[in-house]
Amino acid sequence: MKVNGHVCPVELTVLQCAASRHRLSVPNSTSKPDESRPKTRRAGDAPTLADVARAAGVSKMTASLALNGSQNSVRVSAVTRERVMAAAEQLRYRPNPIARALSSKRTNTIGFITTLMGEKPNAYLLEVFGGVIQGAMAAQRTTTVFTLGSWDEAPTRIPAWCDGRVDGIIVLAPRLEDAEEAWLLERTPIVTVHASGNWRMGSVNFEADDEAGAYEMVQRMFALGHRNILHVGGPVGFPSADRRVEGYLRAHAAVGLTPTPVLRVPFNTAGGAEGMEDWLQRHRGQPLPEAVFGGSDAIAVGCMETLEARGLDIPRDISVVSFDHTWLGRTLHMAAVRQPLHEMGQQAVEVLVQLIEASGAEPYAGPRNIVLLPEIVMGRTLAEPHRAPLLIA
């Protein structure tokens, strides 16, 4: 067959003729689908924003504003908002959290970062974390926990976690060198609890007045008649442990007494038990201390284990007090300096939310180092000293 003087296949000629006669068009693979027609939904599919908009008789934009906008928005009338809300309720519509996060650039999730510090379970960690959970619940935030094997991993792992999956982070008892501040991302709000060293400008730190708490506890022990008090403190270089030693020493200086040399051990029960045993062996035949002041609940419990294993009665033969007042100390009804750990965690969330909301708006104007006051809790492990000095066997 000839078309305009050219020989063409029969099939092509027939197609051209049919297209000309009936004005047929061949679909283009790049053409957009007809968005005016609702997509076919399978039974069980979650309702979408478009479904809510159709049910309410409004546009997707109006439905979005009604569902996500403030109650005082002038862009959507109260009647329209009520109609959209009713449609959403009837369809049991739930916003897509991923889409909402992409739109708002917020996940409404905070990160909690710490190490396990060798204790299973770690009473100190759990006490702070309990406050974080309560604070996050009140702020309608989700909490994601990240754990480090040691703080040596922090420079590589923490930046990887701050990749958009959380709006900000709370870091418990970080031990980082000043030179390592540079890897902390400026765009990620940070609140620390008991930070060691100088952290990034712009972060906020929570701590207790450790020195004042230790000073007051030793004064209480002096008032009961104790004079020979052994302080089994935490490791050298930990600011909280160092400040508790300073309080212990200042209390002795205030009454003109020479303190027993301080023993420094790890912040765990094994550190307390092993340190106490080693100290007793090195002081055989000498007077037993009238009281032991553990630098933490875990240390104090370890000291108690060693003393009781030697047949000593607490507090008849020797008193034991601690610092923290976690569930571990409360279970044993220990006399302690109560550190407001739960409140620290709770308030850390409140401040972190302020830092998050301040991003790109009014800068955070609150304090950068927040110090909470401890209190003395009297328990059954503290009593008047033994009438006659006991010797270490």
Side-chain angles (χ1 to χ4, degrees), residues 17-58:
C17 293
S20 174
R21 185 182 308 114
H22 300 289
R23 299 182 181 277
L24 297 176
S25 61
V26 179
N28 191 324
S29 60
T30 60
S31 63
K32 296 181 179 180
D34 185 359
E35 296 181 352
S36 64
R37 300 176 60 185
K39 296 179 181 179
T40 303
R41 296 178 65 250
R42 295 173 299 178
D45 284 354
T48 65
L49 182 63
D51 296 329
V52 175
R54 279 192 295 271
V58 299

Side-chain angles (χ1 to χ4, degrees), residues 331-354:
T331 300
L332 298 173
H333 302 283
M334 294 183 66
V337 181
R338 179 187 176 274
Q339 186 175 196
L341 298 173
H342 187 90
E343 291 87 339
M344 284 183 187
Q346 190 173 356
Q347 293 183 30
V349 174
E350 296 172 0
V351 170
L352 182 60
V353 170
Q354 294 178 39

Side-chain angles (χ1 to χ4, degrees), residues 25 117 140 148 156 197 222-223 225 244-245 270 277 311 325 327 393:
S25 61
M117 304 179 196
Q140 297 184 336
L148 297 165
T156 56
F222 285 159
R244 292 166 199 178
V245 171
E277 179 61 32
H325 198 58
W327 63 266

Side-chain angles (χ1 to χ4, degrees), residues 32 40 74 77 133 138 190 210 213 272 277 298 309 315:
K32 296 181 179 180
T40 303
V74 296
S77 68
I133 290 295
I190 296 175
D210 301 283
E277 179 61 32

Side-chain angles (χ1 to χ4, degrees), residues 188-245:
T188 304
I190 296 175
V191 172
T192 60
V193 177
H194 286 141
S196 297
N198 297 320
W199 264 54
R200 189 195 74 189
M201 292 297 294
S203 63
V204 176
N205 180 61
F206 278 84
E207 61 187 36
D209 194 337
D210 301 283
E211 197 270 350
Y215 175 87
E216 186 176 349
M217 172 55 83
V218 175
Q219 290 285 356
R220 291 287 187 96
M221 298 166 80
F222 285 159
L224 287 174
H226 293 279
R227 293 297 180 267
N228 185 4
I229 302 171
L230 171 64
H231 181 44
V232 185
V236 175
F238 279 72
S240 58
D242 293 343
R243 288 192 292 263
R244 292 166 199 178
V245 171

Side-chain angles (χ1 to χ4, degrees), residues 158-370:
I158 292 182
W161 293 329
C162 299
D163 58 357
R165 72 185 80 180
V166 295
D167 298 327
I169 57 175
I170 295 173
V171 190
L172 178 61
R175 286 187 54 77
L176 302 171
E177 300 298 331
D178 294 350
E180 294 173 334
E181 291 181 16
W183 57 259
L184 291 170
L185 303 178
E186 292 295 331
R187 67 175 181 270
T188 304
I190 296 175
V191 172
T192 60
V193 177
H194 286 141
S196 297
N198 297 320
W199 264 54
R200 189 195 74 189
M201 292 297 294
S203 63
V204 176
N205 180 61
F206 278 84
E207 61 187 36
D209 194 337
D210 301 283
E211 197 270 350
Y215 175 87
E216 186 176 349
M217 172 55 83
V218 175
Q219 290 285 356
R220 291 287 187 96
M221 298 166 80
F222 285 159
L224 287 174
H226 293 279
R227 293 297 180 267
N228 185 4
I229 302 171
L230 171 64
H231 181 44
V232 185
V236 175
F238 279 72
S240 58
D242 293 343
R243 288 192 292 263
R244 292 166 199 178
V245 171
E246 292 171 3
Y248 166 84
L249 297 176
R250 183 166 70 90
H252 282 77
V255 295
L257 288 176
T258 301
T260 302
V262 176
L263 176 64
R264 307 297 289 265
V265 301
F267 269 132
N268 52 52
T269 54
E274 294 169 6
M276 189 77 253
E277 179 61 32
D278 179 71
W279 191 92
L280 292 171
Q281 289 183 10
R282 289 188 287 108
H283 292 81
R284 286 180 178 176
Q286 299 181 23
L288 181 74
E290 296 164 342
V292 172
F293 180 9
S296 71
D297 280 353
I299 290 175
V301 169
C303 292
M304 288 177 63
E305 291 177 354
T306 294
L307 294 169
E308 290 177 336
R310 285 172 165 259
L312 295 169
D313 181 86
I314 300 170
R316 186 190 64 193
D317 298 328
I318 183 171
S319 291
V320 177
V321 302
S322 69
F323 202 112
D324 280 341
H325 198 58
T326 62
W327 63 266
L328 182 61
R330 295 194 297 269
T331 300
L332 298 173
H333 302 283
M334 294 183 66
V337 181
R338 179 187 176 274
Q339 186 175 196
L341 298 173
H342 187 90
E343 291 87 339
M344 284 183 187
Q346 190 173 356
Q347 293 183 30
V349 174
E350 296 172 0
V351 170
L352 182 60
V353 170
Q354 294 178 39
L355 291 173
I356 293 170
E357 298 299 330
S359 302
E362 291 293 328
Y364 172 78
R368 293 293 174 175
N369 194 60
I370 300 173

Side-chain angles (χ1 to χ4, degrees), residues 56-59 62-63 66 75-86:
V58 299
S59 67
T62 301
R75 301 181 64 182
V76 179
S77 68
V79 174
T80 300
R81 180 178 292 106
E82 290 178 5
R83 193 163 70 247
V84 171
M85 298 297 285

